Amino acid sequence: MSAALGLCCLTATAARGEVCAADPQTWAEALTEQLPLFLNLALSRARSDFQVVLVGRPEAELLSAEELAQLLPDSPAASASQGFRLYFTTLERRLVLPQQPEREDNPLAGRRSETLQLAYEAYVLRATPRDPWQLVRLQVTGAGVPVRDVTEGLTAQAIRRWQEAGCPLTGDLELTRPTL
């Protein structure tokens, strides 16, 4: 309940684009609130059968100077950079229809849904406090799914599209305008 109240207040006080440079928890909450929309668009473009139903509450942990140095081993800016590790989950579902309808009078008879719960670990960095956060690495795991790097996958693409859109919050009408 407090998370929902926090997000309603966040929506009222944050101007468009300010979220992109907000503190890690604010950024993470805004992202996970909008991720189903952006990820479902990416899944639809990729013609996936799955659809994101829910994104869990995010957890953000600041990275230590040592962890930043490991992420940016060849960068002299590593000591000036800021970063955090973000954990979130998704619940995805797809409808599975039988090859042959079980009943002629009801073609949807025998349908079932499959769900997939995935756990993500993201590394997000920025050079200075005024800069927007940038996703640099994304890993995923789930039941029976080994940890794998999906930094260039659909979820990472959805996160980057959200960032490119100015890190919009719920109710931002810019999302509904067609792109030319």
Side-chain angles (χ1 to χ4, degrees):
M1 180 82 153
S2 63
L5 292 174
L7 287 176
C8 90
C9 299
L10 173 69
T11 304
T13 60
R16 179 173 160 77
E18 285 182 14
V19 172
C20 289
D23 66 273
Q25 191 62 39
T26 300
W27 186 91
E29 288 175 2
L31 167 68
T32 55
E33 180 182 348
Q34 291 297 307
L35 192 56
L37 172 66
F38 282 84
L39 187 49
N40 282 332
L41 286 171
L43 288 166
S44 176
R45 284 186 197 107
R47 301 194 184 282
S48 172
D49 292 335
F50 280 94
Q51 185 173 35
V52 175
V53 178
L54 179 69
V55 175
R57 181 158 165 60
E59 293 181 35
E61 292 179 355
L62 291 177
L63 295 173
S64 68
E66 293 81 26
E67 290 170 312
L68 283 170
Q70 287 176 354
L71 278 172
L72 305 168
D74 299 328
S75 173
S79 62
S81 296
Q82 296 178 322
F84 67 96
R85 184 180 301 114
L86 171 64
Y87 299 100
F88 65 92
T89 59
T90 62
L91 179 63
E92 300 178 24
R93 182 177 296 146
R94 73 175 175 171
L95 184 62
V96 180
L97 299 173
Q99 296 290 6
Q100 296 290 331
E102 292 180 5
R103 295 180 16 208
E104 292 295 322
D105 62 329
N106 185 358
L108 296 179
R111 70 181 179 179
R112 60 187 171 81
S113 66
E114 292 179 354
T115 58
L116 178 63
Q117 185 169 358
L118 299 172
Y120 289 89
E121 180 179 8
Y123 290 86
V124 185
L125 303 175
R126 67 180 174 190
T128 70
R130 293 183 315 279
D131 292 334
W133 294 103
Q134 297 297 316
L135 176 68
V136 294
R137 188 166 64 186
L138 184 64
Q139 297 175 317
V140 66
T141 189
V145 178
V147 175
R148 61 190 166 119
D149 187 297
V150 291
T151 304
E152 300 304 321
L154 289 177
T155 303
Q157 290 173 22
I159 292 170
R160 290 184 182 111
R161 284 190 184 259
W162 174 76
Q163 291 175 288
E164 290 166 3
C167 307
L169 299 168
T170 299
D172 188 338
L173 296 178
E174 294 293 319
L175 291 176
T176 60
R177 291 188 184 159
T179 56
L180 300 175

